[in-house]
Amino acid sequence: MAPILTVENLTMRFGGLTAVRDVSFAAAPGAITAVIGPNGAGKTTMFNCITGFYRPTSGSLTLRHEGREVALHRLAGHRIARAGVARTFQNVRLFAGMTALENLLVAQHRTLMAATGFGIGAVLGLSGYHAAEQAAIGRATAWLEACGLIDRADDPAGSLPYGAQRRLEIARAMCTEPALLCLDEPAAGLNPRESLALGELLRAIRDGKAAEGAAPCSILLIEHDMGVVMGISDHIVVLDHGSKIADGPPAAIRADDKVIAAYLGEGDEDEEGAA
Amino acid sequence: MSLARTRRPVLGAALKDAGLAALVAAGLFLPMVGLRTDVGPTGALFLRTRWTDVLLLMAIVFAGRFLLRFWQEWRAERHGPSVQKRLAGPLSRSGRFVAPVLLLFALLLPAIPGIGRYELDLGILVLTYVMLGWGLNIVVGLAGLLDLGYVAFYAVGAYSYALLAQYFGLSFWICLPLAGLLAAFWGILLGFPVLRLRGDYLAIVTLGFGEIIRLVLLNWVSLTGGPNGISGIPRPSFFGLAFTAGGGPGSFADFFGLEPSPTHRVVFLYYLILALALLTNWVTLRLRRQPLGRAWEAMREDEIACRSLGINITTTKLTAFALGAMFGGFAGAFFATRQAFISPESFTFIESAIILAIVVLGGLGSQLGVAIAALVLIGGFEVFRDLQEWRMLVFGAAMVLIMIWKPRGLVGSRNPTVALGEKRTISAAMVAEGRG
């Protein structure tokens, strides 16, 4: 099966600093691909390239979805989301003053906007906006239930506890009906029990069983919590100092010498030089 | 007797505090009030002393400070919830009735006995600012884009109507939508360069834009008449019926068989601006419950998150600018037809500041709050006319007090646009103010 996301020779430079150097990998459809690496390895930079927040210096990013190929590196930020890539943020970015339900409706902006006749029809009460909104609320409700937030639907997002905010952000991303869900450290700040529940949620999302009417969704995640990564990932990519050092299934990564060296600092040339 | 024991130190502290305040007052009032130079019968100046007035003022300060302090201490001692919190419940419940009552009052105002020309003119003025406030509320309150040059769109609307009427002889009813469209066009023109700007930078550029429009109007003498302005702007007609003072065939009074009266036109103008303001409100309220309005609010909350959800920030911002500007343009056209004379002097920065003050004082994003703030600010400004030069002082002090009492405006909380269960207002602390 053709990979859903192909990253080829991706390089991102900020002035003299090369944050990501010549990284290539592929994410399989219907799988959870994890990107791991020590701090400053370039994980978030690569993520920002994939989700359109940075424009890569060179290299290509290709999304294959429903028989179409989309060159993500050429698209404007909001078009990447429309192409089927949804993301969450390392530090949660919810619309704090809006309710959980409203957050999920904003995520369905595009379908709803089309139903309003781009604003004009709905103001005049002409179009079938009501039905579209009911459908959107239905989808939002399904995702609120999937994330265990249905009781807090009418509470402002900013008043939810941290773990709930993380789940709501995932639900919001899923409401855009993505083909690829990119999660930037989804388990950061969660307690072990919440991490476990998150792993189950992510697996359900991958298999399209999380919410009613949800399609299976491939997942790309950055994570520090090794328990989460090893437990749920189908494939792991390891970055260090901006370059890919390993790529394979969890078992192989766990045994990889380079990965162990990168994480424990063994055999690091800089340190050898200093010693 | 625990009450007496705990009160004793409170009383002492309050007395001491009040005494100090009275001393400060004495220091201030002795030279300012106590001594006064008057012109004597011979024309020479002489010094008059007014010690009793000073004593009276000191007594007032003493009593006021004492009561305030005593009340504060007493309240802190009881550890009861603050008055504001205790009032919050009934206040928010009464909020549901305030809007319909205000609307009913506005609708019936011309019919209320004792309402004369002056009151109606004041009503028109207040409603103009209500409309401007509601228009700016779209940009500042909902989309979170700080616009200091809103008066530019008001000017564009006013000059659009004046010039179209002067050069092409178009009637008010044709010019009104044109003025709105032209203002919206200028809103988009302003929107493009400021798309990437945020917060203070956005505010400065919009401020500059407002000044540019005013300066162009001032200096393009051949078109706009420069500082002389444009006079003789035609008055609106009522479905083709003119409001002429003498009655005559084809006039409003003649058609309905009424006694010709100048009040007819004022009442008509009053209902016209009321209708325009309500249109603004209606469109805003409807849009708020729809994806576009939600996208505006989401943009105010977090622009980056919006982008990650596939919302086009550019068009969302531009629609906010354009729509806000359009209602400013409508208000401008109304202003021109009401005054029959416009000049760049009516569109100075202070107008922008007043409109922004109305929005901020009312509470960003709150329609009711903006309406009340316009009533308080513009109406209050007129009511205090008797205070003459003290008016500005009272005005400023009132604004400071309101902002201390309610930092997020009179109605700072936000109503959710949709809910599965019961809609609960969201406290102002949660809602972002927007940084452009």
Side-chain angles (χ1 to χ4, degrees):
Chain A
M1 226 162 146
I4 183 149
L5 177 76
T6 317
V7 177
E8 279 171 305
N9 309 105
L10 181 74
T11 300
M12 182 73 209
R13 273 191 213 100
F14 298 103
L17 178 84
T18 308
V20 177
R21 186 182 296 115
D22 205 23
V23 171
S24 302
F25 71 92
I32 296 179
T33 307
V35 178
I36 62 169
N39 284 330
K43 305 184 296 285
T44 299
T45 305
M46 193 181 75
F47 232 59
N48 283 338
C49 288
I50 294 170
T51 52
F53 282 80
Y54 296 151
R55 187 153 291 221
T57 313
S58 67
S60 71
L61 300 155
T62 315
L63 183 78
R64 277 187 199 79
H65 176 48
E66 289 172 350
R68 284 181 304 131
E69 281 195 20
V70 185
L72 295 181
H73 55 281
R74 293 211 193 97
L75 290 184
H78 66 276
R79 295 204 178 274
I80 288 186
R82 293 178 185 186
V85 179
R87 76 167 290 179
T88 65
F89 296 87
Q90 199 168 346
N91 39 355
V92 180
R93 280 182 173 273
L94 287 168
F95 307 124
M98 303 173 91
T99 65
L101 179 64
E102 283 180 301
N103 268 272
L104 300 193
L105 288 184
V106 171
Q108 303 177 54
H109 178 78
R110 248 188 93 229
T111 42
L112 280 174
M113 199 66 183
T116 62
F118 295 91
I120 299 155
V123 168
L124 302 172
L126 292 178
S127 56
Y129 172 67
H130 188 72
E133 184 170 47
Q134 287 309 315
I137 290 176
R139 184 180 300 145
T141 312
W143 276 108
L144 284 170
E145 266 165 5
C147 296
L149 292 166
I150 193 74
D151 299 336
R152 308 296 301 266
D154 298 334
D155 286 337
S159 75
L160 299 178
Y162 190 72
Q165 291 195 13
R166 282 237 172 255
R167 290 202 303 280
L168 182 60
E169 209 188 13
I170 294 173
R172 188 180 68 179
M174 287 311 294
C175 274
T176 64
E177 298 195 301
L180 178 69
L181 175 66
C182 300
L183 304 166
D184 197 345
E185 300 205 18
L190 299 189
N191 64 36
R193 210 179 41 161
E194 285 174 321
S195 296
L196 216 63
L198 176 81
E200 267 167 40
L201 176 67
L202 293 186
R203 267 199 294 262
I205 288 175
R206 176 192 64 186
D207 302 335
K209 288 176 189 151
E212 211 175 303
C217 179
S218 317
I219 294 176
L220 183 69
L221 86 154
I222 293 179
E223 189 48 68
H224 268 306
D225 188 329
M226 282 303 144
V228 172
V229 171
M230 293 298 169
I232 66 168
S233 302
D234 301 309
H235 190 89
I236 295 178
V237 175
V238 190
L239 293 187
D240 188 26
H241 291 100
S243 307
K244 187 175 89 171
I245 56 170
D247 186 351
I253 293 297
R254 213 176 281 149
D256 192 293
D257 289 339
K258 271 201 219 154
V259 177
I260 295 167
Y263 267 89
L264 300 180
E266 263 174 47
D268 195 316
E269 285 150 28
D270 294 344
E271 275 180 32
E272 270 179 6
Chain B
M1 291 306 288
S2 67
L3 206 66
R5 244 188 294 130
T6 47
R7 272 231 189 135
R8 185 61 48 86
V10 173
L11 197 69
L15 274 174
K16 193 175 152 196
D17 195 48
L20 273 173
L23 271 179
V24 173
L28 271 171
F29 291 131
L30 269 177
M32 278 164 59
V33 178
L35 304 172
R36 187 185 161 98
T37 48
D38 273 340
V39 183
T42 56
L45 286 174
F46 72 94
L47 199 63
R48 196 152 63 85
T49 54
R50 301 189 290 183
W51 303 128
T52 43
D53 292 1
V54 174
L55 276 178
L56 201 69
L57 283 169
M58 278 173 65
I60 291 172
V61 169
F62 181 84
R65 183 70 203 174
F66 175 74
L67 285 176
L68 180 74
R69 184 66 197 269
F70 189 74
W71 179 69
Q72 277 177 342
E73 298 275 349
W74 182 68
R75 199 187 56 174
E77 207 174 280
R78 291 217 344 196
H79 292 293
S82 70
V83 176
Q84 213 173 322
K85 269 192 191 142
R86 265 182 289 151
L87 277 178
L91 266 183
S92 64
R93 256 176 277 135
S94 69
R96 229 171 287 158
F97 305 109
V98 171
V101 167
L102 274 180
L103 178 63
L104 199 69
F105 176 71
L107 281 171
L108 296 179
L109 183 73
I112 295 172
I115 295 292
R117 175 83 196 256
Y118 169 75
E119 284 81 9
L120 278 179
D121 271 330
L122 181 57
I124 291 173
L125 188 70
V126 168
L127 280 175
T128 311
Y129 279 94
V130 168
M131 177 168 182
L132 287 168
W134 277 342
L136 184 62
N137 201 15
I138 296 176
V139 185
V140 180
L142 293 183
L145 304 161
L146 185 52
D147 186 349
L148 285 182
Y150 190 64
V151 78
F153 308 121
Y154 190 39
V156 167
Y159 270 87
S160 300
Y161 172 49
L163 293 174
L164 286 170
Q166 195 178 37
Y167 287 100
F168 302 104
L170 295 177
S171 84
F172 175 74
W173 293 105
I174 295 172
C175 290
L176 184 69
L178 285 179
L181 282 179
L182 280 168
F185 168 72
W186 282 98
I188 292 173
L189 273 194
L190 165 69
F192 266 114
V194 303
L195 277 173
R196 289 169 179 279
L197 301 179
R198 321 196 54 163
D200 308 347
Y201 306 97
L202 174 74
I204 293 294
V205 174
T206 53
L207 173 73
F209 181 77
E211 285 300 290
I212 288 170
I213 294 274
R214 191 177 65 85
L215 288 173
V216 167
L217 293 176
L218 198 62
N219 291 299
W220 195 350
V221 179
S222 59
L223 181 75
T224 66
N228 297 328
I230 299 172
S231 55
I233 300 167
R235 301 293 201 153
S237 62
F238 180 79
F239 297 105
L241 302 171
F243 292 92
T244 41
S251 75
F252 179 79
D254 180 57
F255 186 82
F256 288 97
L258 298 168
E259 194 72 21
S261 156
T263 321
H264 290 164
R265 176 161 50 212
V266 182
V267 172
F268 172 66
L269 285 172
Y270 177 82
Y271 279 117
L272 177 60
I273 186 66
L274 182 62
L276 284 172
L278 288 179
L279 174 77
T280 313
N281 187 35
W282 182 72
V283 169
T284 311
L285 285 183
R286 274 198 85 103
L287 279 179
R288 243 200 101 211
R289 279 184 273 119
Q290 288 176 2
L292 185 60
R294 284 203 202 104
W296 287 338
E297 290 201 82
M299 197 167 67
R300 176 192 66 201
E301 299 281 330
D302 196 322
E303 203 177 304
I304 288 175
C306 270
R307 204 144 60 101
S308 80
L309 296 174
I311 295 173
N312 188 338
I313 295 293
T314 308
T315 53
T316 310
K317 272 190 183 174
L318 288 182
T319 49
F321 270 121
L323 217 67
M326 184 179 81
F327 290 119
F330 285 157
F334 173 82
F335 176 77
T337 193
R338 180 201 166 208
Q339 301 282 19
F341 167 77
I342 50 170
S343 76
E345 239 170 75
S346 309
F347 308 107
T348 50
F349 170 66
I350 189 72
E351 291 294 317
S352 287
I354 288 176
I355 303 166
L356 188 67
I358 287 173
V359 175
V360 172
L361 211 63
L364 296 171
S366 160
Q367 297 293 95
L368 178 63
V370 168
I372 294 175
L375 191 67
V376 169
L377 242 68
I378 306 301
F381 208 55
E382 282 297 316
V383 170
F384 289 129
R385 194 169 275 281
D386 294 341
L387 294 174
Q388 290 160 9
E389 65 265 38
W390 295 90
R391 192 159 69 143
M392 271 312 211
L393 200 67
V394 171
F395 189 66
M399 278 185 70
V400 170
L401 284 179
I402 292 178
M403 288 332 275
I404 290 174
W405 176 52
K406 287 236 156 194
R408 293 295 296 267
L410 294 171
V411 185
S413 56
R414 177 180 175 275
N415 253 323
T417 57
V418 61
L420 291 181
E422 195 198 347
K423 277 187 192 178
R424 291 185 297 258
T425 52
I426 297 168
S427 92
M430 291 287 168
V431 183
E433 286 155 65
R435 266 166 268 106

